Amino acid sequence: MPPTLASLVRHPGLKLSVLAGEDRLETPVRWAHVSELADPVPYMEGGELLLITAMQIEAEDPDEMRRYVRRLVGAGVVGLGFALGVKYAEVPPALAAAAKEEGLPLLGVPRRTPFIAISKAVSAAIAADQYRAVTAGFEAQRELTRAAIGAEGPAALLARLASHVDGWAALYDASGAVVAAAPDWAARRAARLTADVERLRSRPGPASIVVGGVGGVGGVGGVGGVGGARTTGAEAAEDTAVADRVELQSLGTGRRPRGVLAVGTGAPLGTAERYAVHSAVALLTLTTERSRAWQEAEQRLGAAVLRMLLAGEPDHARAVAGPLYGGLLDAPFRMLVAEVPSGGAAQQTHAAPSGTGGVPAEHPAEPAAATANAGTRTGSGTNVTGTSIGTGTGIGTGTGGGAAVGEPGAADPLGTLVDTMEAAAARTGESLLVVPDGERLIVLAPDGGAAAAACAEHARAVESRRGTKARPRDRGAAAPQGDELVIGLSAPAGPIAAAAAYRQAEQALSVARRRGRMLVEHEQVAAGSVLPLLADDAVRAFADGMLRALHEHDATGRGDLVASLRAWLSRHGQWDAAAADLGVHRHTLRYRMRRVEEILGRSLDDPDVRMELWLALKATSV
């Protein structure tokens, strides 16, 4: 504890007496300062014990003393030491009355006690307090380091940190989800801070936010209010309202946070507690960051495994993957292809070109700017690895520029998607393989697993936010902006059918573009209609060319061949029904169909011709 007025009064060598403000002696003293100025306030910082002999003040004037003491209190002076036996044998009544009126502690300093002795006592106490804080900080650092490298990982580190700060601690992963908390009841309290965590993650790192109460609004960079009294563990377990001071610290060295640490206490952190928090941030940051060489090696390995799978060499792929991806290749998986549509505001700039035959080419050693630090990662137990914090295996894309949770892809939709899937996979211990492929990402995720479910939920949330429904995108519409992202998801497949799964994912991706959807699964393609696929400029050009002669004939006013053809085809060649729809005699309809054959030079008895004509009519009406 820092020195207080009470500790100075108890100091046996100072012999100080209390003349006013007996109820405020526990106030900490930041420094002891001597000043004989009539107005020393401009030179005060707050927290000082001011020492005076009253040589330059009107100590016997009640009005002047009231103004003098009031200025001191306003400047944050915590006490006034008056030298007895120098100018005045006793404290003047006017000064004593003013001190009592303002509640300012007034200490009598005997003549045999020099002011420098008080200054030395305060300085020694402050130094001793700082030494204790540093010693406690080093001890906390040792304990936190042992906890971080132990089998329990972040959970043990948070438990030690909560003990050192006499509060609670929680850890959030790259998606903003709580992955660990200590004590256990703190998880519910930490979950209420989601909005504040999102706000912090939207800022370039490193950054911090202090929240004056759970769910409240604090400042940035350590500015915020302090809540009221703390609650007990039992009260917290009952989910009661609390008003702790919560400090949120981003983790990671890049602009995009790799996680967030929350520390809740009943009062601002002291020096020792601050050392502990800084140590925890450093340790968690170290465990979330990996070397570039390791990232590049893992990226090449993941790309090689994917190429072997797409080339029809599952056995070689298993051999190369080893334990890193072995679990992923031993069960059905889904293949996902994602891209930002051309012209989107967040268009990615991956440098790797696509290979031939639908097989991604080998990626260069240096990742592209938009997905720098992309790579694979693995972990076991409860560890903090890569961009996700938790258990399992995954791949990280440490991208420049942050996007807040709940605002998917505001700066990097592909990076946000990967963060979301990795966080879900890490929490359940799933394996995940992500490979940048040019301007795309290719992902292998376990069928029915948390990562695939997180991808679907992410797509639903984005579509709900921007009001997108399952409909074809209007031709000529503006280029996608902001969080635009299209994803194609294959049907469940095994390693031997990886190439087919890749084709399915690409087909689903194409349908997603046409329908204006963020995510389309291959099963939805098979269950949907082929008609939306006709909304293509090439198909429309083909249809216009096929029907142009009939339209030119109708423009002369010599018959309505296009409408007659549509009615006849819609009635499957039934003359009477089609003629009734047109309101003409069936012989008139027969004549018109012969004219169609003559103009087109093709027979309507050919089922392929009828199919092409029907699709052409539908394409011109889509």
Side-chain angles (χ1 to χ4, degrees), residues 3 18 33 92 96 114 146 158 182 293 342 347 351 422 464 476 524 526 608 611:
V18 181
H33 182 67
R146 286 194 295 267
L158 292 180
S342 178
Q347 180 70 39
E422 283 182 334
S464 174
Q524 296 171 340
D608 290 340
M611 177 194 68

Side-chain angles (χ1 to χ4, degrees), residues 72-148:
L72 296 183
V73 172
V77 173
V78 299
L80 185 62
F82 189 89
L84 302 174
V86 180
K87 183 177 181 180
Y88 297 94
E90 301 291 338
V91 175
L95 177 56
K100 291 180 180 179
E101 183 179 335
E102 294 295 331
L104 178 66
L106 179 61
L107 306 181
V109 182
R111 185 179 181 85
R112 63 178 179 273
T113 301
F115 283 170
I116 193 171
I118 299 176
S119 298
K120 286 183 175 181
V122 171
S123 178
I126 292 174
D129 181 66
Q130 292 177 340
Y131 178 78
R132 287 192 296 270
V134 171
T135 302
F138 284 144
E139 179 59 29
Q141 185 179 49
R142 285 192 292 269
E143 289 189 18
L144 294 174
T145 302
R146 286 194 295 267

Side-chain angles (χ1 to χ4, degrees), residues 250-265:
S250 64
L251 304 175
T253 59
R255 289 178 56 83
R256 190 181 185 88
R258 301 294 183 92
V260 173
L261 172 66
V263 179
T265 55

Side-chain angles (χ1 to χ4, degrees), residues 18-78:
V18 181
L19 305 176
E22 295 84 352
D23 58 337
R24 297 189 180 183
L25 296 181
E26 295 301 328
T27 307
V29 177
R30 293 182 61 246
W31 197 245
H33 182 67
V34 180
S35 176
E36 298 295 346
L37 296 175
D39 184 12
V41 167
Y43 307 97
M44 299 292 105
E45 294 182 351
E48 296 92 355
L49 169 62
L50 181 62
L51 304 175
I52 64 173
T53 63
M55 290 292 185
Q56 302 296 326
I57 63 174
E58 299 294 334
E60 298 180 11
D61 185 337
D63 292 336
E64 179 63 27
M65 286 302 94
R66 278 194 292 270
R67 288 191 293 270
Y68 177 78
V69 172
R70 191 175 297 118
R71 287 196 299 270
L72 296 183
V73 172
V77 173
V78 299

Side-chain angles (χ1 to χ4, degrees), residues 61-295:
D61 185 337
D63 292 336
E64 179 63 27
M65 286 302 94
R66 278 194 292 270
R67 288 191 293 270
Y68 177 78
V69 172
R70 191 175 297 118
R71 287 196 299 270
L72 296 183
V73 172
V77 173
V78 299
L80 185 62
F82 189 89
L84 302 174
V86 180
K87 183 177 181 180
Y88 297 94
E90 301 291 338
V91 175
L95 177 56
K100 291 180 180 179
E101 183 179 335
E102 294 295 331
L104 178 66
L106 179 61
L107 306 181
V109 182
R111 185 179 181 85
R112 63 178 179 273
T113 301
F115 283 170
I116 193 171
I118 299 176
S119 298
K120 286 183 175 181
V122 171
S123 178
I126 292 174
D129 181 66
Q130 292 177 340
Y131 178 78
R132 287 192 296 270
V134 171
T135 302
F138 284 144
E139 179 59 29
Q141 185 179 49
R142 285 192 292 269
E143 289 189 18
L144 294 174
T145 302
R146 286 194 295 267
I149 63 178
E152 298 181 31
L157 186 149
L158 292 180
R160 299 292 177 86
L161 178 61
S163 176
H164 277 287
V165 300
D166 191 23
W168 59 271
L171 188 62
Y172 303 81
D173 62 19
S175 71
V178 180
V179 295
D184 293 339
W185 50 259
R188 297 182 66 181
R189 192 179 302 184
R192 299 194 193 102
L193 295 168
T194 301
D196 296 295
V197 172
E198 292 174 358
R199 185 159 57 96
L200 178 63
R201 292 185 68 250
S202 67
R203 303 177 184 274
S208 64
I209 293 177
V210 175
V211 182
V214 175
V217 178
V220 178
V223 180
V226 179
R230 302 179 59 206
T231 60
T232 65
E235 290 172 331
E238 295 172 2
D239 202 24
T240 58
V242 293
D244 284 352
R245 177 188 188 275
V246 182
E247 183 168 329
L248 301 173
Q249 295 269 359
S250 64
L251 304 175
T253 59
R255 289 178 56 83
R256 190 181 185 88
R258 301 294 183 92
V260 173
L261 172 66
V263 179
T265 55
L269 297 173
T271 304
E273 291 80 8
R274 178 65 58 191
Y275 273 122
V277 171
H278 286 174
S279 297
V281 170
L283 290 168
L284 291 172
T285 296
L286 284 174
T287 54
T288 59
E289 297 290 349
R290 297 169 300 157
S291 68
R292 180 177 294 272
W294 185 13
Q295 293 170 352

